[in-house]
Amino acid sequence: MATATATATAAAAAASSSRLPFRRAASSSSSSQLRLPAVPPPRRASFAVVALHKRNPKRLKYASQRQFTRGDAGMLRVQVEPSGEDAWKLEPVVELINRGAVGIIPTDTVYSIVCDLSNNDSVERLRRIKGIGDSKARYAKTILCRSLRDIDTYTTGFPRGTNQGQANIFRAVKRVIPGPYTFILPATKELPKQCIRHGSSTRYAKRRQVGVRLPDDPICEAILQNLDEPLICTSVKSLSEDEWILDPVIIADIYEQQGLDFIVDGGTRIADPSTVVDMTGSYPTIIRQGKGPKLDWMVPEDEEQESRPTFAYKAA
């Protein structure tokens, strides 16, 4: 009888001992609450898990922290609402740009091919894809800026002197940016030479000029505000004709074959490029009329001297 009792006691102890780790594990796991991923608030570019549109499920590969190597996954496609309410989807696009990728994003005018301003390899890829040559433009490619600080860093900036005409011009410019205007300004030494080189030769433009933009588009703004550097951009046009392509689906099908790495689909755009205003001369001169309306302080390129505004200024 004593032996049976001892055996039962030992069996109960063994069972209790075998259940002890589970109880401890359960107690330990219950002490830390399981937290579900937070739903990102609207119109914020804080990043979370992203639902992407990919042609191939394979992941893109990277050679190093800054050097992007395009893998066999094809072009990355991210669809975002035109209002930018789901801009949190743009996390992988920002990461790719910072690593040296070249791709397409919407602006407040047409779609643009963009890359990191300071990545020479990416700028050269953009040049080859677009086929930029010596006769393509009177000025270098355009910088998509994050703020007036970027404009002041890479150009001599807008006039802000004590001269009344300069002060009037600066106030007028601030009223139209962000907006559909590209302003041509003298570049500073902070602008990489690769950004002003024309064609495949080693010669650089004698007059260091660059176009600057502050786009008024929520998708474009969300991307810019989360980048380490501004973007160099050039508008997306047909490879065979001098026409803008406005449908992102058509753009993706055409430019994926050219080796681009991503596209942000923000819906179909209107065929209106930015208005280009040259600020390097004696007067703010419109050299291309686009989406931005002509204002009273802007002078058409062919307008006579006597009809120009009275508050014109001399560029620095």
Side-chain angles (χ1 to χ4, degrees), residues 31-44:
S31 62
S32 59
Q33 297 180 352
L34 178 62
R35 298 182 178 180
L36 296 176
V39 177
R43 297 189 65 81
R44 285 180 62 88

Side-chain angles (χ1 to χ4, degrees), residues 141-154:
K141 293 180 293 299
T142 300
I143 303 176
L144 294 180
C145 299
R146 299 166 295 182
S147 66
L148 281 171
R149 180 177 299 178
D150 285 339
I151 296 178
D152 291 338
T153 298
Y154 297 102

Side-chain angles (χ1 to χ4, degrees), residues 1-15:
M1 183 66 178
T3 303
T5 302
T7 301
T9 302

